[in-house]
Amino acid sequence: MVPWSVAQDGLQQLLKKYGRPGSDPSPEYPFVALSRSRLWELDGYESEVPTARGSALKQWLDAHDPLGGLEHDFYELMAADPVARGRVVDALVSHFFDEEKPTALLKDIKRPGRGRKVYGTVPGIKIGHVFASRQGLSEALVHRPNQAGICGTKGLGAESIVLSGGYEDDEDHGDVIVYTGQGGRKKDERKQTFDQPLTRGNAALVTSMTTGAPVRVIRGEPDGSGRSGSMIYRYDGLFRVVEFWHATGKSGFLVWRYRLVKLSTDESRSQEAQFEEPAGQDAPTRLEVTIQRVVRSTKVANHVKRAHRFTCQVCGIRLATPTGAYAEAAHVRALGRPHNGPDVAGNVLCLCPNHHTLFDFGMLTIADDLTITDRATGTEIGKLREAPNHRIDRTHLAYHREHHSEGWKHDTKD
């Protein structure tokens, strides 16, 4: 599935070069009209698609930037069966080109380039490399879309993001970025005019968080020419998505937000062959490194776990190990930017590893009366267990719900 913002330029060039003489090379029409067949589909939008070609259709595509591509089963057939693929190409050539094989066209659509996915570092591109345009970023495969700020898919995760002041809710703290998802506004506008859905690039960043795969970060800034909108773009290395949540943005509409933390040089180097089977080490070595992190209180965590006898407050399971019982301390309101939660007992739960993960991802929410809701099913699964010497601060529970409850109603596609 390819975003409209990525497909339109190449499609327009092909139509202009190979379309029927005198025809209007309007890429928006075939991109949408093909979805009326059973072989092509659109996804990643919520409003009704305009039926008439013209300016209204172009404006709709630019505003919603939907995904377009072959229907899944047909795509799988074309990708896996060269014989079937050859027959389809022959049929199209015979029908539309009067049996004259368009060698130049076939060469053009097979060429490598922006369609090739690259995760992690791009060979030959070092941190600090400057590009004069989005086109340059695309051709170098550092960030393939010419307009969209996020490149990636829900299934594989995000390849890259561009941070250039395009969204009013973005926060750039150098090695820590609070990034705003895509959508929710019209083209060339910074303010939100409708809620962002958790689809397309927004869903891709969530996948990157769950897999731990790094994301390339590109920062844009004015090029100094004084021309409005004239930018240069700098590759600033690999970042990891460590958290995501929803919030009401400055314009009053729902936005998805992501906290990304820059990888160290050693971590970045280790990502270069991330999609190959690693050789591993028969005798692993140790490396002394210096990192900057929020200092957590071990005393607070131990107090909470002892108060519950290392028993999960959600499921009541106590894990026994050869060295004693095991449980995890989960902060309700996360520490560090932008949440700045306190490291106190009232902000900590005693959970098993499974429910710790589900809670951090917002798949469990807890009401003020301590009723636990499973977001996956929408059902209540019981009450949070309390202890006489440990009480949860309800304001932190409310903060967690605010970040992880209401926004999920928008997750209706992809």
Side-chain angles (χ1 to χ4, degrees):
M1 300 291 282
V2 181
W4 160 251
S5 58
V6 173
Q8 60 174 321
D9 291 342
L11 182 54
Q12 184 169 29
Q13 292 172 13
L14 288 171
L15 289 171
K16 185 176 182 180
K17 187 173 181 180
Y18 299 105
R20 292 173 177 172
S23 62
D24 180 17
S26 302
E28 59 272 14
Y29 183 66
F31 191 85
V32 170
L34 283 172
S35 65
R36 296 166 194 156
S37 73
R38 291 180 294 175
L39 302 180
W40 182 267
E41 59 184 355
L42 296 178
D43 199 2
Y45 63 92
E46 294 184 343
S47 64
E48 186 175 350
V49 183
T51 56
R53 62 188 300 179
S55 59
L57 181 57
K58 179 68 162 62
Q59 292 171 1
W60 182 87
L61 286 166
D62 290 340
H64 295 275
D65 196 22
L67 298 168
L70 297 178
E71 186 275 330
H72 181 267
D73 290 341
F74 184 54
Y75 171 83
E76 292 294 330
L77 175 64
M78 292 298 94
D81 190 335
V83 175
R85 187 166 61 246
R87 289 178 178 176
V88 169
V89 171
D90 289 343
L92 290 172
V93 168
S94 174
H95 183 78
F96 291 104
F97 291 88
D98 299 325
E99 299 185 359
E100 181 181 351
K101 195 169 185 177
T103 305
L105 169 60
L106 295 177
K107 182 178 179 181
D108 277 350
I109 62 176
K110 288 181 180 178
R111 67 188 178 194
R114 292 189 306 181
R116 185 161 65 90
K117 297 178 176 65
V118 178
Y119 290 85
T121 55
V122 177
I125 304 298
K126 297 182 178 180
I127 293 177
H129 193 114
V130 175
F131 297 86
S133 65
R134 289 288 294 261
Q135 181 67 29
L137 283 172
S138 177
E139 292 174 354
L141 303 179
V142 175
H143 185 77
R144 294 185 293 120
N146 278 330
Q147 292 183 340
I150 305 172
C151 179
T153 64
K154 177 182 178 180
L156 295 177
E159 299 175 42
S160 56
I161 64 171
V162 171
L163 188 72
S164 58
Y167 284 87
E168 58 184 348
D169 294 297
D170 284 345
E171 298 177 25
D172 191 346
H173 305 290
D175 287 352
V176 177
I177 296 169
V178 180
Y179 187 76
T180 306
Q182 64 186 190
R185 63 177 192 172
K186 295 180 179 179
K187 185 181 178 182
D188 298 328
E189 291 185 358
R190 295 186 70 244
K191 291 187 176 182
Q192 303 294 125
T193 55
F194 52 93
D195 293 336
Q196 291 183 344
L198 192 59
T199 57
R200 300 166 43 217
N202 297 341
L205 284 171
V206 176
T207 299
S208 294
M209 175 183 163
T210 60
T211 62
V215 178
R216 292 188 298 276
V217 168
I218 299 94
R219 286 181 167 95
E221 58 186 37
D223 65 2
S225 66
R227 293 174 295 179
S228 176
S230 186
M231 308 277 286
I232 57 173
Y233 300 90
R234 183 182 67 252
Y235 169 58
D236 279 342
L238 298 179
F239 284 64
R240 194 180 305 283
V241 184
V242 297
E243 185 183 7
F244 80 102
W245 67 97
H246 81 276
T248 300
K250 294 180 179 179
S251 297
F253 296 93
L254 181 145
V255 296
W256 289 97
R257 310 196 76 193
Y258 307 84
R259 186 160 69 96
L260 294 91
V261 177
K262 190 170 186 177
L263 300 183
S264 68
T265 301
D266 292 318
E267 288 176 311
S268 296
R269 286 172 180 167
S270 70
Q271 299 298 328
E272 294 186 6
Q274 60 180 304
F275 292 101
E276 301 175 2
E277 181 178 347
Q281 299 182 68
D282 292 330
T285 58
R286 294 182 181 272
L287 176 68
E288 183 176 344
V289 297
T290 301
I291 61 173
Q292 189 177 54
R293 63 179 177 86
V294 176
V295 178
R296 301 168 186 255
S297 172
T298 303
K299 291 182 179 180
V300 170
N302 286 339
H303 166 75
V304 172
K305 288 187 281 189
R306 284 196 298 268
H308 294 275
R309 299 186 67 251
F310 294 83
T311 300
C312 178
Q313 290 182 253
V314 172
C315 63
I317 291 177
R318 187 174 189 265
L319 299 176
T321 75
T323 57
Y326 177 82
E328 296 181 353
H331 284 83
V332 181
R333 180 169 182 160
L335 308 184
R337 291 173 177 157
H339 311 293
N340 298 319
D343 190 23
V344 297
N347 188 37
V348 177
L349 296 173
C350 177
L351 301 177
C352 67
N354 284 353
H355 285 119
H356 187 177
T357 300
L358 292 173
F359 184 76
D360 281 352
F361 274 86
M363 300 302 291
L364 298 178
T365 57
I366 304 171
D368 286 343
D369 66 357
L370 302 186
T371 298
I372 306 168
T373 299
D374 179 350
R375 189 192 61 78
T377 61
T379 59
E380 296 180 0
I381 60 174
K383 293 271 190 176
L384 187 77
R385 293 167 172 81
E386 287 194 291
N389 55 342
H390 176 232
R391 177 177 172 80
I392 293 294
D393 190 327
R394 268 57 171 177
T395 59
H396 300 318
L397 292 178
Y399 185 91
H400 182 270
R401 292 194 303 272
E402 174 66 21
H403 278 75
H404 292 292
S405 294
E406 292 299 322
W408 295 103
K409 67 178 66 173
H410 299 266
D411 183 17
T412 58
K413 289 181 178 286
D414 201 20

